[in-house]
Amino acid sequence: MIGQIKSGKTSLVNALIGRTALLPADVNPWTSVVTSLHLHPDAPAFKETASFQFFDENEWDRLVSGGGRIGELASRAGADDELEKIKAQAADMREKSRKRLGQKFELLLGQRRDYGYVDQDLIERYVCLGEDHDDDEPTSHDEQGRFADVTKAADLSIQRSGLPIRLCLRDTPGVNDTFMMREQITIRALRDSRICVVALSAHQALSSTDLALIRLITHVKSRDVIIFVNRIDELSDPKTQVPQIEASIAETLARHKGPEEAKVIFGSALWAGHVLDGRLSDLPPASKDSLLAWSESTDLERLYGDVPLRDPDKQAWILSGVPALQRAISMRIAESLAKATLQRIASSALNLTSAVEARNRISERETGVPGRDELDGAEAQRRFDDILSSQTQKIRDSFDAILAEFSDRMDRVQASFLERATASLIVHLETQGDTTPWTYDPTGLRMLLGSSHKVLVRKSKATFEAATQEVAAELGQLYQRSFGLQPDDMTIAQPRAPQASAPVSLGRTIALDLNGSWWKRWWFHRRGYKAYAANFHDLIKTETDPFVSELRDDLAQEIRTTALEAFDAFLAEQRSVFTSLNEMAQTNPDRLQAKVAEMATGDHAALLKKTMNTLREYAK
């Protein structure tokens, strides 16, 4: 869950999980806490827990000493006034933290606190700032927001009835703040998530000023983005205003190359919360009027039958948009992660059942079958080991080559961008002089880096598929020679290539995205065209190095690691199959006859055939 500050993200999360008072719905803008809700299905022995991780010393020093990302920008740009202002704000934050935490403040950094329960008071203590206190005022361990300044992340494990599987919902702070702490934390949370729900306020919708937000979701696949326009309860005429807001969002996304065809849902977490609490009658008058107007513009009977018309609570619940959001999330889980999971399970199960069928063929075979003597057990084992060893080395070498090529491409893209931008700067200086600040759009750099990432993903997938196909072909031939099987006797289903994480780090803010006074300060501190060009080149290279490095060193390595782990798991599965078949082939005739009799009981053969046919369909 990402979005604008004051868009109602937290209230929306509370409504989604059906606990309206769990998370503080009015988190102070100073906080930078990602709260992960780990939702568990019903289990008799389940116990709710909470865990809070504090910033480590390096992260805290970077914030309070250097002023975070903005401080780094101002420092490189030579904007001393801006830097001092930011440092003063950071120092004030540090002093407030000391007042709350006392002399043991530094001892908390890098630590984690775990609790065997979850309640609102506990959560508020770590994620929501409280009031400031004088030095001589006694403090209580239960003060609201006591640890909020130094809390980096919160993990809450709770139980929700009706869930078929475990889910994780991450509530993130707004992305726009002085130090850019939230942006970096939100990027990490978004990168580790499979679905992105963008919460907007109906009054703010999505404007050109939300470029940081648009940049973050641009690099997520459209089908994995859901936009929830919250707080329509504050609209005076939702029937007229909602279509206008929707058109404005579409236009803004198109203009700034945002995700196409992202689903947009309108609703109100306030309405949902009042329904869940049984307080629908307590809605403010203006909100009641808006609810009535929205209901008149929605054909509930056509969509849901006449049930909502006879039950005001159900009607308000539907109109809140929360059920539609739940359905949208569920559909995306079913269409992406769940489908991939079913395919992986089916492929693995197909290999296991295929091995069972092959064991049947071996056990039914008479001793001395022609072809069996081509390879004895020891030779078959040696060749099997050679195949796995050579294929393992081959895929690792292939990925090393892919990553080396990707790294070179990253360097070329960055160098080309810096060359073009510097050339543009020189042209500006030659035609307009140095009295007017020059700007340059970094969208082109992001697009080229994003394209390079797509090439990396495509090549990695092709390499994985080729490697597993080659293993399947070589092992298939080995199974035939070793165990006297026919090609149709043994099916080797190949796993799908793992899905790569979206390159959301490309959305991080860089110097060229900003137009603050520090940029003008940088501009007017230069002396001579060569100084402009050289200083600009160094400034932007330093700015773009981090996310180029993250793509090259983090995301690319993650793609390699997950692919190799999936490949190794496939080989381990085949090793188990081969060992089982080899043992069966070595079994003496008397034991073989006993196994045949055991396997022939009941409808084993028919059930096995039906199972394999079903698994083949799922594995496709």
Side-chain angles (χ1 to χ4, degrees), residues 4 198-208 210 213-214 217 225-230 232 241-266:
Q4 304 157 321
V198 184
L200 306 177
S201 170
H203 287 295
Q204 292 176 271
L206 190 62
S207 65
S208 297
D210 290 310
L213 196 58
I214 297 174
I217 62 175
V225 176
I226 304 169
I227 297 176
F228 188 89
V229 183
N230 194 21
I232 65 168
Q241 293 168 287
V242 163
Q244 295 173 347
I245 295 171
E246 188 168 16
S248 174
I249 292 173
E251 192 274 332
T252 303
L253 289 176
R255 185 167 69 250
H256 297 288
K257 310 299 181 183
E260 300 176 357
E261 300 178 0
K263 187 172 183 60
V264 181
I265 299 172
F266 288 82

Side-chain angles (χ1 to χ4, degrees), residues 244-550:
Q244 295 173 347
I245 295 171
E246 188 168 16
S248 174
I249 292 173
E251 192 274 332
T252 303
L253 289 176
R255 185 167 69 250
H256 297 288
K257 310 299 181 183
E260 300 176 357
E261 300 178 0
K263 187 172 183 60
V264 181
I265 299 172
F266 288 82
S268 166
L270 178 70
W271 293 343
H274 275 67
V275 172
L276 290 169
D277 291 339
R279 300 185 298 109
L280 188 59
S281 60
D282 294 339
L283 280 174
S287 183
K288 288 182 180 179
D289 293 342
S290 181
L291 177 60
L292 179 61
W294 187 229
S295 68
E296 292 175 348
S297 64
T298 306
D299 191 350
L300 293 176
E301 185 174 8
R302 181 179 63 83
L303 296 174
Y304 302 99
D306 65 349
V307 174
L309 303 181
R310 294 183 279 106
D311 189 331
D313 282 352
K314 288 183 178 180
Q315 184 177 26
W317 175 247
I318 293 170
L319 292 170
S320 74
V322 171
L325 177 58
Q326 291 172 329
R327 284 195 302 275
I329 293 173
S330 298
M331 288 300 297
R332 276 151 183 77
I333 292 174
E335 293 168 356
S336 57
L337 186 59
K339 180 180 288 186
T341 301
L342 284 175
Q343 289 170 338
R344 186 182 70 250
I345 293 171
S347 295
S348 181
L350 180 57
N351 286 329
L352 294 176
T353 52
S354 181
V356 172
E357 189 172 44
R359 284 166 62 98
N360 288 355
R361 295 283 186 271
I362 295 172
S363 64
E364 293 169 354
R365 184 189 64 221
E366 296 180 3
T367 56
V369 173
R372 171 67 188 110
D373 294 334
E374 290 184 18
L375 293 176
D376 60 23
E379 177 64 13
Q381 182 68 59
R382 187 188 68 78
R383 295 197 182 190
F384 178 85
D385 292 338
D386 287 346
I387 290 173
L388 265 59
S389 177
S390 63
Q391 289 295 339
T392 298
Q393 188 60 50
K394 185 175 180 180
I395 191 174
R396 278 162 170 72
D397 291 343
S398 297
F399 269 98
D400 288 343
I402 290 173
L403 264 60
E405 179 186 348
F406 177 68
S407 178
D408 291 341
R409 182 167 180 160
M410 291 288 96
D411 292 338
R412 292 197 304 271
V413 166
Q414 184 184 24
S416 175
F417 172 79
L418 290 171
E419 182 180 342
R420 292 195 310 274
T422 304
S424 174
L425 171 61
I426 297 299
V427 170
H428 173 89
L429 292 170
E430 291 175 346
T431 57
Q432 301 186 38
D434 58 7
T435 59
T436 305
W438 161 87
T439 59
Y440 196 76
D441 188 357
T443 301
L445 174 63
R446 289 190 172 96
M447 290 178 64
L448 289 174
L449 292 175
S451 297
S452 299
H453 179 265
K454 290 179 181 177
V455 171
L456 169 67
V457 172
R458 186 169 63 250
K459 288 187 175 182
S460 298
K461 180 181 179 182
T463 297
F464 181 88
E465 291 175 346
T468 54
Q469 186 174 7
E470 194 169 333
V471 168
E474 291 188 9
L475 290 183
Q477 294 177 3
L478 180 63
Y479 289 146
Q480 293 172 42
R481 291 196 61 192
S482 301
F483 310 123
L485 299 173
Q486 298 302 312
D488 294 339
D489 292 340
M490 187 70 189
T491 300
I492 300 179
Q494 299 161 225
R496 299 294 181 95
Q499 180 176 326
S501 299
V504 292
S505 57
L506 289 177
R508 64 175 281 169
T509 303
I510 63 174
L512 290 175
D513 295 315
L514 304 171
N515 291 307
S517 58
W518 69 268
W519 176 259
K520 293 182 179 179
R521 182 68 58 85
W522 176 89
W523 184 269
F524 290 118
H525 270 107
R526 307 283 76 75
R527 293 292 182 271
Y529 288 3
K530 289 184 178 180
Y532 276 106
N535 291 158
F536 168 79
H537 186 281
D538 293 343
L539 173 67
I540 303 305
K541 185 178 188 305
T542 305
E543 270 294 285
T544 54
D545 277 345
F547 67 73
V548 170
S549 297
E550 183 171 344

Side-chain angles (χ1 to χ4, degrees), residues 150-222:
V150 294
T151 303
K152 178 181 179 180
D155 288 272
L156 311 176
S157 292
I158 63 176
Q159 193 172 51
R160 301 309 299 154
S161 61
L163 284 179
I165 58 173
R166 290 180 296 132
L167 296 174
C168 177
L169 268 64
R170 289 191 176 99
D171 181 27
T172 64
V175 297
N176 48 328
D177 74 290
T178 305
F179 304 121
M180 288 189 189
M181 290 290 290
R182 292 184 188 84
E183 181 181 74
Q184 300 309 304
I185 293 171
T186 298
I187 283 175
R188 285 195 291 269
L190 183 56
R191 176 181 158 184
D192 294 336
S193 301
R194 298 297 293 270
I195 298 170
C196 173
V197 177
V198 184
L200 306 177
S201 170
H203 287 295
Q204 292 176 271
L206 190 62
S207 65
S208 297
T209 58
D210 290 310
L211 285 178
L213 196 58
I214 297 174
R215 284 197 301 267
L216 287 182
I217 62 175
T218 292
H219 302 286
V220 180
K221 293 180 180 178
S222 296

